[in-house]
Amino acid sequence: MKKSLREKVYELTKLVPQGKVATYGQLAKLAGKPKAARAVGGFMRTNPDAPRTPCHRVVAHDGSLTGYSAGKGISTKRKMLEKEGVLFIGNKVDLKKSLWPGIV
DNA sequence: CCCGTGACATCGG
DNA sequence: TCCGATGCCACGG
């Protein structure tokens, strides 16, 4: 039984623990499509599971905050992450410490 | 139904 | 080191 890539990505996103962040590429890779990072962003963009899916825990490969269809956008996203304990370096996330190791 | 676009990531020059 | 182009999936018009 094959779940749509979308479903997988949402599942993975929900698995990200509080205080950690994952990159779109990371989710895409775990979902089985290492090059579908763009698609992952597309899933969050439509974001049908808005509050159900912690899309705010998903950042760009550089730790830069992008998009966000809720609240004020990036500003809200950044605030939420900081509140959860994610370290910020300027306007980016400290992937060195807050990057989700994945499902190891 | 078909085309275009989008919250990315990676490689090559 | 920086810029440009490509690949993937789904959704909207």
Side-chain angles (χ1 to χ4, degrees):
Chain A
M1 183 295 263
K2 229 164 56 122
K3 281 197 210 163
S4 295
L5 187 68
R6 216 175 58 155
E7 298 285 318
K8 289 190 192 172
V9 172
Y10 290 146
E11 293 286 309
L12 294 166
T13 306
K14 291 189 223 167
L15 291 176
V16 178
Q18 191 176 56
K20 297 249 166 169
V21 295
T23 67
Y24 296 95
Q26 180 94 51
L27 297 175
K29 201 185 279 192
L30 291 170
K33 302 293 183 203
K35 288 203 172 132
R38 199 185 220 187
V40 175
F43 306 149
M44 303 307 183
R45 171 195 180 259
T46 59
N47 199 353
D49 287 328
R52 244 170 33 188
T53 306
C55 27
H56 61 270
R57 285 187 203 151
V58 187
V59 299
H61 75 112
D62 250 45
S64 316
L65 271 56
T66 31
Y68 205 57
S69 316
K72 285 182 187 178
I74 310 301
S75 311
T76 304
K77 188 170 173 176
R78 174 158 143 199
K79 246 207 278 209
M80 284 162 71
L81 289 170
E82 283 189 296
K83 221 170 197 192
E84 297 198 344
V86 176
L87 304 181
F88 268 78
I89 299 178
N91 60 334
K92 287 184 206 158
V93 179
D94 182 2
L95 296 178
K96 276 181 175 21
K97 302 192 171 187
S98 302
L99 178 62
W100 183 42
I103 308 174
V104 190

